[in-house]
Amino acid sequence: MTDTTDDIAEEISFQSFDDDCRLLGNLLNDILHREVGTTFVDKLERIRVLAQSACNMRQAGIVNMAELLEKQLASELSKMTLQEAFTLARAFSHYLTLMGIAETHHRVRKGGNMAQISKSCDDVFNQLVQGGVSPDDLYNTVCKQ
């Protein structure tokens, strides 16, 4: 039996950022289907589309339509159980984490600055403070995240 991990990794390394996002998104979608079922995945997708559409409408200046979509989104969310809301939040969190990984991989693949990517939180926080952000403001902002 041969290990194909290196072959797969080499193949993936030539993909574009969009391909990486699509691959990771599809993997998460497959896992969600297996773990929480098609009905919940459909609900998650409906909520994602409503939120994205409302945002797009608001950005386009179509406020009435944005408000209508936001009300529909609020209605969908209010019908969820606490467990469903928790699962929804975790799914979106995993998705955002995976997109961050894809972005980091893309930057490294394109010859991005490794020193910039590998900075610790302490380094970033110190840089912000040296740039004029007060430690209290920085702390309060991080606590709100």
Side-chain angles (χ1 to χ4, degrees):
M1 186 166 154
T2 61
D3 182 11
T4 60
T5 305
D6 290 338
D7 295 336
I8 293 169
E10 186 175 317
E11 204 173 293
I12 289 172
S13 71
F14 293 110
Q15 294 177 329
S16 72
F17 175 67
D18 290 338
D19 291 335
D20 290 345
C21 292
R22 196 171 7 271
L23 171 70
L24 293 173
N26 287 339
L27 288 171
L28 178 61
N29 193 45
D30 291 347
I31 291 166
L32 288 171
H33 273 281
R34 188 173 50 236
E35 296 298 320
V36 296
T38 301
T39 302
F40 186 81
V41 172
D42 291 345
K43 184 183 288 191
L44 183 134
E45 180 63 12
R46 196 169 46 254
I47 288 169
R48 186 195 69 74
V49 168
L50 280 170
Q52 184 64 56
S53 298
C55 184
N56 291 344
M57 291 294 141
R58 194 164 287 285
Q59 285 179 339
I62 309 170
V63 177
N64 291 343
M65 181 59 77
E67 289 174 353
L68 179 67
L69 292 170
E70 288 163 357
K71 285 179 185 176
Q72 191 174 353
L73 176 61
S75 174
E76 288 277 337
L77 293 173
S78 69
K79 294 176 190 173
M80 296 180 89
T81 66
L82 186 58
Q83 184 62 37
E84 286 177 322
F86 181 69
T87 302
L88 176 84
R90 287 181 61 205
F92 280 121
S93 176
H94 288 311
Y95 177 78
L96 292 173
T97 299
L98 290 171
M99 294 309 102
I101 290 168
E103 183 177 358
T104 299
H105 179 74
H106 180 70
R107 285 184 186 172
V108 169
R109 184 174 52 223
K110 294 296 181 188
N113 184 350
M114 283 302 292
Q116 187 75 4
I117 292 171
S118 64
K119 281 188 173 183
S120 70
C121 288
D122 282 340
D123 293 338
V124 172
F125 292 158
N126 286 330
Q127 185 178 5
L128 288 168
V129 169
Q130 290 173 0
V133 176
S134 78
D136 288 338
D137 287 345
L138 181 57
Y139 175 80
N140 291 330
T141 300
V142 171
C143 286
K144 291 177 187 175
Q145 297 299 309

Short mmCIF file of all heavy atoms in Angstrom, two decimals, residues 66-133:
data_model
loop_
_atom_site.label_atom_id
_atom_site.label_comp_id
_atom_site.label_asym_id
_atom_site.label_seq_id
_atom_site.Cartn_x
_atom_site.Cartn_y
_atom_site.Cartn_z
N ALA A 66 -33.09 44.95 1.65
CA ALA A 66 -32.18 44.49 2.70
C ALA A 66 -32.93 44.28 4.01
O ALA A 66 -32.74 43.26 4.69
CB ALA A 66 -31.03 45.47 2.88
N GLU A 67 -33.78 45.23 4.36
CA GLU A 67 -34.53 45.12 5.61
C GLU A 67 -35.50 43.93 5.57
O GLU A 67 -35.66 43.23 6.58
CB GLU A 67 -35.28 46.42 5.90
CG GLU A 67 -34.34 47.55 6.29
CD GLU A 67 -35.03 48.89 6.44
OE1 GLU A 67 -36.24 49.02 6.13
OE2 GLU A 67 -34.35 49.84 6.88
N LEU A 68 -36.11 43.70 4.44
CA LEU A 68 -37.01 42.55 4.30
C LEU A 68 -36.25 41.24 4.50
O LEU A 68 -36.70 40.34 5.22
CB LEU A 68 -37.68 42.58 2.92
CG LEU A 68 -38.64 41.44 2.61
CD1 LEU A 68 -39.87 41.52 3.51
CD2 LEU A 68 -39.05 41.49 1.15
N LEU A 69 -35.09 41.14 3.87
CA LEU A 69 -34.26 39.94 4.01
C LEU A 69 -33.76 39.77 5.44
O LEU A 69 -33.70 38.65 5.96
CB LEU A 69 -33.09 39.97 3.02
CG LEU A 69 -33.47 39.84 1.55
CD1 LEU A 69 -32.28 40.15 0.66
CD2 LEU A 69 -34.02 38.46 1.25
N GLU A 70 -33.40 40.88 6.08
CA GLU A 70 -32.94 40.82 7.47
C GLU A 70 -34.05 40.36 8.40
O GLU A 70 -33.80 39.60 9.35
CB GLU A 70 -32.40 42.18 7.90
CG GLU A 70 -31.07 42.51 7.24
CD GLU A 70 -30.70 43.99 7.31
OE1 GLU A 70 -31.49 44.81 7.83
OE2 GLU A 70 -29.60 44.33 6.83
N LYS A 71 -35.29 40.78 8.15
CA LYS A 71 -36.42 40.31 8.95
C LYS A 71 -36.64 38.82 8.74
O LYS A 71 -36.91 38.08 9.69
CB LYS A 71 -37.69 41.09 8.59
CG LYS A 71 -37.72 42.49 9.14
CD LYS A 71 -38.99 43.22 8.74
CE LYS A 71 -38.91 44.67 9.21
NZ LYS A 71 -40.06 45.46 8.78
N GLN A 72 -36.52 38.37 7.51
CA GLN A 72 -36.66 36.95 7.21
C GLN A 72 -35.55 36.15 7.90
O GLN A 72 -35.80 35.08 8.46
CB GLN A 72 -36.64 36.73 5.70
CG GLN A 72 -37.06 35.34 5.28
CD GLN A 72 -37.16 35.21 3.76
OE1 GLN A 72 -37.03 36.18 3.02
NE2 GLN A 72 -37.38 33.99 3.32
N LEU A 73 -34.33 36.70 7.88
CA LEU A 73 -33.20 36.06 8.55
C LEU A 73 -33.45 35.97 10.05
O LEU A 73 -33.24 34.92 10.67
CB LEU A 73 -31.91 36.83 8.26
CG LEU A 73 -30.64 36.36 8.95
CD1 LEU A 73 -30.30 34.94 8.56
CD2 LEU A 73 -29.49 37.30 8.62
N ALA A 74 -33.90 37.07 10.65
CA ALA A 74 -34.19 37.09 12.08
C ALA A 74 -35.26 36.05 12.42
O ALA A 74 -35.17 35.37 13.45
CB ALA A 74 -34.62 38.48 12.52
N SER A 75 -36.27 35.92 11.56
CA SER A 75 -37.32 34.94 11.78
C SER A 75 -36.76 33.52 11.75
O SER A 75 -37.09 32.69 12.61
CB SER A 75 -38.41 35.11 10.72
OG SER A 75 -39.37 34.10 10.83
N GLU A 76 -35.91 33.24 10.76
CA GLU A 76 -35.29 31.91 10.66
C GLU A 76 -34.47 31.60 11.91
O GLU A 76 -34.55 30.50 12.47
CB GLU A 76 -34.37 31.83 9.43
CG GLU A 76 -35.08 31.79 8.12
CD GLU A 76 -35.55 30.40 7.73
OE1 GLU A 76 -34.99 29.40 8.22
OE2 GLU A 76 -36.49 30.32 6.93
N LEU A 77 -33.68 32.58 12.35
CA LEU A 77 -32.82 32.36 13.51
C LEU A 77 -33.64 32.19 14.79
O LEU A 77 -33.28 31.38 15.65
CB LEU A 77 -31.83 33.52 13.66
CG LEU A 77 -30.78 33.63 12.55
CD1 LEU A 77 -29.96 34.90 12.71
CD2 LEU A 77 -29.87 32.40 12.53
N SER A 78 -34.71 32.94 14.91
CA SER A 78 -35.51 32.86 16.14
C SER A 78 -36.23 31.51 16.28
O SER A 78 -36.62 31.12 17.37
CB SER A 78 -36.53 34.00 16.20
OG SER A 78 -37.52 33.83 15.21
N LYS A 79 -36.42 30.80 15.19
CA LYS A 79 -37.07 29.50 15.22
C LYS A 79 -36.12 28.37 15.61
O LYS A 79 -36.57 27.25 15.86
CB LYS A 79 -37.67 29.17 13.84
CG LYS A 79 -38.80 30.08 13.43
CD LYS A 79 -39.25 29.74 12.02
CE LYS A 79 -40.22 30.78 11.49
NZ LYS A 79 -40.53 30.56 10.06
N MET A 80 -34.83 28.67 15.69
CA MET A 80 -33.85 27.63 16.00
C MET A 80 -33.81 27.34 17.49
O MET A 80 -33.99 28.23 18.31
CB MET A 80 -32.45 28.07 15.54
CG MET A 80 -32.31 28.26 14.05
SD MET A 80 -30.66 28.78 13.59
CE MET A 80 -29.92 27.18 13.38
N THR A 81 -33.52 26.08 17.79
CA THR A 81 -33.28 25.71 19.18
C THR A 81 -31.88 26.19 19.56
O THR A 81 -31.06 26.53 18.68
CB THR A 81 -33.35 24.19 19.38
OG1 THR A 81 -32.26 23.58 18.66
CG2 THR A 81 -34.69 23.63 18.90
N LEU A 82 -31.59 26.20 20.84
CA LEU A 82 -30.27 26.59 21.30
C LEU A 82 -29.20 25.67 20.72
O LEU A 82 -28.14 26.12 20.30
CB LEU A 82 -30.22 26.59 22.83
CG LEU A 82 -28.96 27.12 23.47
CD1 LEU A 82 -28.68 28.56 23.03
CD2 LEU A 82 -29.07 27.05 24.98
N GLN A 83 -29.48 24.38 20.68
CA GLN A 83 -28.53 23.42 20.12
C GLN A 83 -28.28 23.68 18.63
O GLN A 83 -27.15 23.62 18.16
CB GLN A 83 -29.02 21.98 20.33
CG GLN A 83 -28.03 20.93 19.87
CD GLN A 83 -26.72 20.98 20.63
OE1 GLN A 83 -26.69 21.24 21.82
NE2 GLN A 83 -25.62 20.75 19.94
N GLU A 84 -29.34 23.99 17.89
CA GLU A 84 -29.17 24.30 16.46
C GLU A 84 -28.35 25.58 16.28
O GLU A 84 -27.49 25.64 15.41
CB GLU A 84 -30.54 24.48 15.80
CG GLU A 84 -31.30 23.20 15.58
CD GLU A 84 -32.68 23.45 15.00
OE1 GLU A 84 -33.34 24.43 15.39
OE2 GLU A 84 -33.09 22.65 14.13
N ALA A 85 -28.62 26.58 17.10
CA ALA A 85 -27.87 27.83 17.01
C ALA A 85 -26.40 27.60 17.32
O ALA A 85 -25.52 28.17 16.66
CB ALA A 85 -28.47 28.87 17.96
N PHE A 86 -26.13 26.77 18.30
CA PHE A 86 -24.75 26.44 18.65
C PHE A 86 -24.06 25.73 17.49
O PHE A 86 -22.94 26.07 17.11
CB PHE A 86 -24.74 25.56 19.91
CG PHE A 86 -23.38 25.17 20.38
CD1 PHE A 86 -22.52 26.12 20.91
CD2 PHE A 86 -22.95 23.86 20.31
CE1 PHE A 86 -21.25 25.77 21.35
CE2 PHE A 86 -21.69 23.49 20.74
CZ PHE A 86 -20.83 24.45 21.26
N THR A 87 -24.75 24.77 16.88
CA THR A 87 -24.20 24.04 15.74
C THR A 87 -23.98 24.97 14.56
O THR A 87 -22.95 24.90 13.87
CB THR A 87 -25.13 22.87 15.35
OG1 THR A 87 -25.27 22.02 16.49
CG2 THR A 87 -24.56 22.07 14.20
N LEU A 88 -24.91 25.88 14.33
CA LEU A 88 -24.79 26.86 13.26
C LEU A 88 -23.55 27.74 13.47
O LEU A 88 -22.75 27.94 12.55
CB LEU A 88 -26.04 27.73 13.19
CG LEU A 88 -26.01 28.87 12.18
CD1 LEU A 88 -26.40 28.35 10.81
CD2 LEU A 88 -26.94 29.98 12.61
N ALA A 89 -23.39 28.24 14.70
CA ALA A 89 -22.24 29.09 15.00
C ALA A 89 -20.93 28.34 14.82
O ALA A 89 -19.96 28.88 14.27
CB ALA A 89 -22.35 29.63 16.43
N ARG A 90 -20.90 27.10 15.25
CA ARG A 90 -19.69 26.30 15.09
C ARG A 90 -19.39 26.05 13.61
O ARG A 90 -18.23 26.10 13.19
CB ARG A 90 -19.82 24.97 15.83
CG ARG A 90 -19.72 25.15 17.34
CD ARG A 90 -19.83 23.85 18.09
NE ARG A 90 -18.75 22.96 17.71
CZ ARG A 90 -18.82 21.64 17.82
NH1 ARG A 90 -19.91 21.07 18.27
NH2 ARG A 90 -17.79 20.89 17.47
N ALA A 91 -20.42 25.78 12.82
CA ALA A 91 -20.21 25.52 11.39
C ALA A 91 -19.63 26.76 10.71
O ALA A 91 -18.67 26.66 9.93
CB ALA A 91 -21.53 25.12 10.74
N PHE A 92 -20.20 27.93 11.00
CA PHE A 92 -19.68 29.16 10.41
C PHE A 92 -18.26 29.45 10.91
O PHE A 92 -17.40 29.92 10.15
CB PHE A 92 -20.60 30.35 10.66
CG PHE A 92 -21.78 30.39 9.73
CD1 PHE A 92 -23.08 30.37 10.23
CD2 PHE A 92 -21.61 30.45 8.36
CE1 PHE A 92 -24.17 30.40 9.37
CE2 PHE A 92 -22.69 30.49 7.49
CZ PHE A 92 -23.98 30.46 8.01
N SER A 93 -18.00 29.17 12.17
CA SER A 93 -16.66 29.37 12.72
C SER A 93 -15.64 28.47 12.02
O SER A 93 -14.55 28.92 11.65
CB SER A 93 -16.67 29.08 14.22
OG SER A 93 -15.37 29.17 14.75
N HIS A 94 -16.01 27.21 11.83
CA HIS A 94 -15.11 26.29 11.11
C HIS A 94 -14.87 26.77 9.68
O HIS A 94 -13.75 26.71 9.17
CB HIS A 94 -15.68 24.87 11.09
CG HIS A 94 -15.63 24.16 12.40
ND1 HIS A 94 -14.50 24.08 13.19
CD2 HIS A 94 -16.58 23.51 13.08
CE1 HIS A 94 -14.75 23.41 14.28
NE2 HIS A 94 -16.02 23.05 14.25
N TYR A 95 -15.93 27.24 9.04
CA TYR A 95 -15.79 27.72 7.66
C TYR A 95 -14.81 28.89 7.60
O TYR A 95 -13.92 28.92 6.75
CB TYR A 95 -17.16 28.14 7.10
CG TYR A 95 -17.06 28.71 5.71
CD1 TYR A 95 -16.91 27.87 4.62
CD2 TYR A 95 -17.10 30.08 5.50
CE1 TYR A 95 -16.80 28.39 3.33
CE2 TYR A 95 -17.00 30.60 4.22
CZ TYR A 95 -16.84 29.75 3.14
OH TYR A 95 -16.71 30.27 1.88
N LEU A 96 -14.98 29.85 8.52
CA LEU A 96 -14.08 31.01 8.52
C LEU A 96 -12.64 30.61 8.83
O LEU A 96 -11.69 31.14 8.25
CB LEU A 96 -14.57 32.07 9.52
CG LEU A 96 -15.88 32.74 9.13
CD1 LEU A 96 -16.37 33.63 10.27
CD2 LEU A 96 -15.74 33.53 7.84
N THR A 97 -12.46 29.65 9.72
CA THR A 97 -11.12 29.15 10.02
C THR A 97 -10.50 28.51 8.78
O THR A 97 -9.33 28.76 8.46
CB THR A 97 -11.17 28.13 11.18
OG1 THR A 97 -11.67 28.79 12.34
CG2 THR A 97 -9.80 27.55 11.47
N LEU A 98 -11.28 27.71 8.09
CA LEU A 98 -10.77 27.06 6.87
C LEU A 98 -10.42 28.08 5.79
O LEU A 98 -9.42 27.92 5.07
CB LEU A 98 -11.79 26.05 6.34
CG LEU A 98 -11.96 24.79 7.20
CD1 LEU A 98 -13.14 23.98 6.71
CD2 LEU A 98 -10.68 23.97 7.21
N MET A 99 -11.21 29.13 5.67
CA MET A 99 -10.90 30.16 4.68
C MET A 99 -9.62 30.90 5.07
O MET A 99 -8.82 31.29 4.20
CB MET A 99 -12.06 31.14 4.52
CG MET A 99 -13.33 30.51 3.92
SD MET A 99 -13.09 29.59 2.39
CE MET A 99 -13.12 27.88 2.98
N GLY A 100 -9.40 31.08 6.36
CA GLY A 100 -8.14 31.68 6.83
C GLY A 100 -6.95 30.80 6.49
O GLY A 100 -5.89 31.29 6.10
N ILE A 101 -7.13 29.50 6.65
CA ILE A 101 -6.06 28.56 6.30
C ILE A 101 -5.79 28.62 4.80
O ILE A 101 -4.63 28.65 4.37
CB ILE A 101 -6.45 27.13 6.72
CG1 ILE A 101 -6.43 27.03 8.25
CG2 ILE A 101 -5.54 26.09 6.08
CD1 ILE A 101 -7.06 25.76 8.79
N ALA A 102 -6.84 28.68 4.00
CA ALA A 102 -6.66 28.77 2.54
C ALA A 102 -5.92 30.05 2.18
O ALA A 102 -5.03 30.04 1.32
CB ALA A 102 -8.02 28.74 1.84
N GLU A 103 -6.26 31.15 2.85
CA GLU A 103 -5.59 32.42 2.56
C GLU A 103 -4.11 32.36 2.93
O GLU A 103 -3.25 32.81 2.18
CB GLU A 103 -6.28 33.55 3.31
CG GLU A 103 -5.69 34.91 3.00
CD GLU A 103 -6.42 36.04 3.69
OE1 GLU A 103 -7.41 35.80 4.40
OE2 GLU A 103 -5.97 37.19 3.52
N THR A 104 -3.82 31.80 4.09
CA THR A 104 -2.42 31.66 4.52
C THR A 104 -1.65 30.78 3.55
O THR A 104 -0.54 31.11 3.13
CB THR A 104 -2.35 31.08 5.94
OG1 THR A 104 -3.03 31.97 6.83
CG2 THR A 104 -0.91 30.91 6.39
N HIS A 105 -2.26 29.66 3.17
CA HIS A 105 -1.62 28.75 2.22
C HIS A 105 -1.35 29.46 0.89
O HIS A 105 -0.28 29.32 0.30
CB HIS A 105 -2.51 27.52 2.00
CG HIS A 105 -1.96 26.54 1.02
ND1 HIS A 105 -0.92 25.71 1.32
CD2 HIS A 105 -2.31 26.27 -0.26
CE1 HIS A 105 -0.63 24.97 0.27
NE2 HIS A 105 -1.47 25.29 -0.71
N HIS A 106 -2.31 30.26 0.45
CA HIS A 106 -2.16 31.00 -0.81
C HIS A 106 -1.00 31.99 -0.71
O HIS A 106 -0.19 32.10 -1.64
CB HIS A 106 -3.47 31.72 -1.13
CG HIS A 106 -3.45 32.49 -2.40
ND1 HIS A 106 -3.40 31.90 -3.65
CD2 HIS A 106 -3.45 33.83 -2.62
CE1 HIS A 106 -3.37 32.83 -4.58
NE2 HIS A 106 -3.42 34.01 -3.98
N ARG A 107 -0.93 32.71 0.40
CA ARG A 107 0.17 33.69 0.57
C ARG A 107 1.52 33.01 0.58
O ARG A 107 2.48 33.49 -0.03
CB ARG A 107 -0.02 34.47 1.87
CG ARG A 107 -1.09 35.49 1.80
CD ARG A 107 -1.16 36.27 3.08
NE ARG A 107 -2.29 37.18 3.06
CZ ARG A 107 -2.68 37.88 4.09
NH1 ARG A 107 -2.03 37.79 5.24
NH2 ARG A 107 -3.71 38.67 4.01
N VAL A 108 1.62 31.88 1.26
CA VAL A 108 2.89 31.15 1.32
C VAL A 108 3.23 30.64 -0.07
O VAL A 108 4.37 30.75 -0.52
CB VAL A 108 2.80 29.99 2.34
CG1 VAL A 108 3.99 29.06 2.22
CG2 VAL A 108 2.69 30.54 3.75
N ARG A 109 2.24 30.09 -0.75
CA ARG A 109 2.45 29.54 -2.09
C ARG A 109 2.92 30.62 -3.06
O ARG A 109 3.74 30.38 -3.95
CB ARG A 109 1.17 28.88 -2.59
CG ARG A 109 1.30 28.20 -3.91
CD ARG A 109 0.06 27.44 -4.32
NE ARG A 109 -1.13 28.25 -4.26
CZ ARG A 109 -2.29 27.84 -3.76
NH1 ARG A 109 -2.41 26.62 -3.27
NH2 ARG A 109 -3.33 28.63 -3.74
N LYS A 110 2.40 31.83 -2.90
CA LYS A 110 2.78 32.94 -3.79
C LYS A 110 4.06 33.64 -3.34
O LYS A 110 4.40 34.69 -3.84
CB LYS A 110 1.64 33.97 -3.86
CG LYS A 110 0.38 33.44 -4.52
CD LYS A 110 0.65 33.11 -5.97
CE LYS A 110 -0.61 32.60 -6.64
NZ LYS A 110 -0.38 32.11 -7.96
N GLY A 111 4.72 33.06 -2.35
CA GLY A 111 5.99 33.64 -1.92
C GLY A 111 5.81 34.78 -0.95
O GLY A 111 6.63 35.69 -0.88
N GLY A 112 4.74 34.71 -0.18
CA GLY A 112 4.47 35.75 0.81
C GLY A 112 5.55 35.81 1.86
O GLY A 112 6.37 34.91 2.00
N ASN A 113 5.55 36.86 2.60
CA ASN A 113 6.55 37.09 3.63
C ASN A 113 6.27 36.17 4.81
O ASN A 113 5.35 36.38 5.58
CB ASN A 113 6.49 38.56 4.06
CG ASN A 113 7.57 38.91 5.06
OD1 ASN A 113 8.25 38.03 5.59
ND2 ASN A 113 7.71 40.19 5.31
N MET A 114 7.09 35.14 4.98
CA MET A 114 6.89 34.17 6.06
C MET A 114 7.03 34.82 7.43
O MET A 114 6.37 34.44 8.37
CB MET A 114 7.89 33.01 5.93
CG MET A 114 7.51 32.02 4.86
SD MET A 114 5.89 31.29 5.12
CE MET A 114 6.20 30.34 6.58
N ALA A 115 7.92 35.81 7.55
CA ALA A 115 8.09 36.48 8.83
C ALA A 115 6.79 37.16 9.24
O ALA A 115 6.42 37.17 10.41
CB ALA A 115 9.22 37.49 8.76
N GLN A 116 6.11 37.76 8.29
CA GLN A 116 4.84 38.44 8.58
C GLN A 116 3.77 37.42 8.98
O GLN A 116 2.99 37.67 9.89
CB GLN A 116 4.39 39.21 7.34
CG GLN A 116 3.19 40.08 7.55
CD GLN A 116 3.51 41.35 8.34
OE1 GLN A 116 4.64 41.62 8.67
NE2 GLN A 116 2.47 42.10 8.64
N ILE A 117 3.72 36.28 8.31
CA ILE A 117 2.71 35.27 8.58
C ILE A 117 2.92 34.61 9.94
O ILE A 117 1.98 34.31 10.64
CB ILE A 117 2.70 34.21 7.46
CG1 ILE A 117 2.20 34.85 6.17
CG2 ILE A 117 1.85 33.01 7.82
CD1 ILE A 117 2.35 33.98 4.96
N SER A 118 4.18 34.40 10.31
CA SER A 118 4.46 33.64 11.52
C SER A 118 4.56 34.50 12.78
O SER A 118 4.98 34.01 13.81
CB SER A 118 5.75 32.84 11.33
OG SER A 118 6.83 33.73 11.16
N LYS A 119 4.17 35.75 12.72
CA LYS A 119 4.22 36.60 13.91
C LYS A 119 3.27 36.08 14.97
O LYS A 119 2.18 35.62 14.68
CB LYS A 119 3.84 38.04 13.56
CG LYS A 119 4.94 38.82 12.93
CD LYS A 119 4.53 40.26 12.81
CE LYS A 119 5.69 41.09 12.32
NZ LYS A 119 5.33 42.50 12.26
N SER A 120 3.71 36.22 16.22
CA SER A 120 2.85 35.83 17.32
C SER A 120 1.88 36.97 17.64
O SER A 120 2.05 38.10 17.19
CB SER A 120 3.70 35.52 18.56
OG SER A 120 4.26 36.73 19.07
N CYS A 121 0.88 36.66 18.46
CA CYS A 121 -0.06 37.69 18.89
C CYS A 121 0.68 38.79 19.65
O CYS A 121 0.36 39.98 19.49
CB CYS A 121 -1.15 37.09 19.77
SG CYS A 121 -2.32 36.07 18.85
N ASP A 122 1.65 38.41 20.47
CA ASP A 122 2.43 39.41 21.20
C ASP A 122 3.11 40.39 20.24
O ASP A 122 3.11 41.60 20.48
CB ASP A 122 3.50 38.75 22.08
CG ASP A 122 2.93 38.18 23.36
OD1 ASP A 122 1.83 38.60 23.76
OD2 ASP A 122 3.60 37.32 23.96
N ASP A 123 3.67 39.86 19.16
CA ASP A 123 4.33 40.72 18.18
C ASP A 123 3.34 41.69 17.55
O ASP A 123 3.62 42.88 17.41
CB ASP A 123 4.99 39.89 17.07
CG ASP A 123 6.17 39.06 17.56
OD1 ASP A 123 6.75 39.41 18.60
OD2 ASP A 123 6.48 38.05 16.90
N VAL A 124 2.18 41.17 17.18
CA VAL A 124 1.17 42.01 16.54
C VAL A 124 0.67 43.07 17.52
O VAL A 124 0.55 44.25 17.18
CB VAL A 124 0.00 41.15 16.01
CG1 VAL A 124 -1.14 42.02 15.52
CG2 VAL A 124 0.49 40.23 14.89
N PHE A 125 0.39 42.66 18.77
CA PHE A 125 -0.09 43.60 19.78
C PHE A 125 0.94 44.69 20.06
O PHE A 125 0.60 45.88 20.17
CB PHE A 125 -0.47 42.89 21.07
CG PHE A 125 -1.69 42.00 20.94
CD1 PHE A 125 -1.89 40.97 21.84
CD2 PHE A 125 -2.63 42.18 19.93
CE1 PHE A 125 -3.00 40.15 21.73
CE2 PHE A 125 -3.74 41.37 19.82
CZ PHE A 125 -3.93 40.35 20.73
N ASN A 126 2.21 44.29 20.18
CA ASN A 126 3.27 45.28 20.41
C ASN A 126 3.38 46.26 19.25
O ASN A 126 3.57 47.47 19.46
CB ASN A 126 4.62 44.59 20.66
CG ASN A 126 4.70 43.95 22.02
OD1 ASN A 126 4.07 44.42 22.97
ND2 ASN A 126 5.46 42.88 22.13
N GLN A 127 3.25 45.75 18.04
CA GLN A 127 3.30 46.62 16.86
C GLN A 127 2.14 47.62 16.88
O GLN A 127 2.32 48.80 16.55
CB GLN A 127 3.28 45.78 15.60
CG GLN A 127 3.46 46.57 14.33
CD GLN A 127 3.47 45.68 13.08
OE1 GLN A 127 3.25 44.46 13.17
NE2 GLN A 127 3.72 46.27 11.94
N LEU A 128 0.95 47.16 17.26
CA LEU A 128 -0.20 48.06 17.34
C LEU A 128 0.00 49.13 18.40
O LEU A 128 -0.29 50.31 18.17
CB LEU A 128 -1.48 47.26 17.63
CG LEU A 128 -2.00 46.41 16.47
CD1 LEU A 128 -3.08 45.45 16.95
CD2 LEU A 128 -2.53 47.29 15.35
N VAL A 129 0.52 48.75 19.56
CA VAL A 129 0.77 49.71 20.64
C VAL A 129 1.83 50.72 20.20
O VAL A 129 1.67 51.93 20.41
CB VAL A 129 1.16 48.99 21.95
CG1 VAL A 129 1.68 49.98 22.98
CG2 VAL A 129 -0.02 48.21 22.49
N GLN A 130 2.88 50.24 19.55
CA GLN A 130 3.92 51.15 19.06
C GLN A 130 3.39 52.07 17.98
O GLN A 130 3.87 53.17 17.80
CB GLN A 130 5.12 50.36 18.53
CG GLN A 130 5.91 49.67 19.62
CD GLN A 130 6.99 48.75 19.07
OE1 GLN A 130 7.16 48.61 17.86
NE2 GLN A 130 7.71 48.09 19.97
N GLY A 131 2.35 51.62 17.28
CA GLY A 131 1.74 52.43 16.23
C GLY A 131 0.73 53.44 16.76
O GLY A 131 0.10 54.15 15.98
N GLY A 132 0.52 53.46 18.07
CA GLY A 132 -0.35 54.47 18.64
C GLY A 132 -1.65 53.97 19.24
O GLY A 132 -2.42 54.76 19.80
N VAL A 133 -1.93 52.68 19.14
CA VAL A 133 -3.15 52.14 19.74
C VAL A 133 -2.89 51.99 21.25
O VAL A 133 -1.89 51.39 21.64
CB VAL A 133 -3.54 50.78 19.13
CG1 VAL A 133 -4.75 50.18 19.82
CG2 VAL A 133 -3.78 50.91 17.63
#
